[in-house]
Amino acid sequence: MSSTPTRNVALTPVLENYIQAQVASGHYSNASEVVRAGLRLLMERDHAAPRTRPTSAKPSSAR
């Protein structure tokens, strides 16, 4: 049994197609590698420039 935790995620067709294209291109061996690479980029971005979260879920144009 693998010691790596697994997750099931729902993807839009656009994201699924992107993952499949990345694997098909040979840049990644499987979908998990693509997702892990994306998460690493998010972590780097979040550590480099802390963001503030909006206080309202409404778009700013809906005033």
Side-chain angles (χ1 to χ4, degrees):
M1 186 180 285
S2 173
S3 63
T4 303
T6 61
R7 302 285 183 265
N8 291 320
V9 297
L11 299 172
T12 65
V14 170
L15 293 174
E16 177 60 23
N17 290 338
Y18 183 79
I19 289 171
Q20 288 177 358
Q22 291 299 303
V23 173
S25 74
H27 288 107
Y28 300 93
S29 297
N30 54 53
S32 291
E33 287 185 0
V34 178
V35 172
R36 284 192 297 265
L39 289 171
R40 281 191 295 272
L41 287 172
L42 283 172
M43 291 171 70
E44 287 176 16
R45 183 192 71 184
D46 289 347
H47 286 20
R51 298 181 299 162
T52 57
R53 294 198 172 234
T55 56
S56 172
K58 293 180 183 178
S60 60
S61 62
R63 291 182 186 188

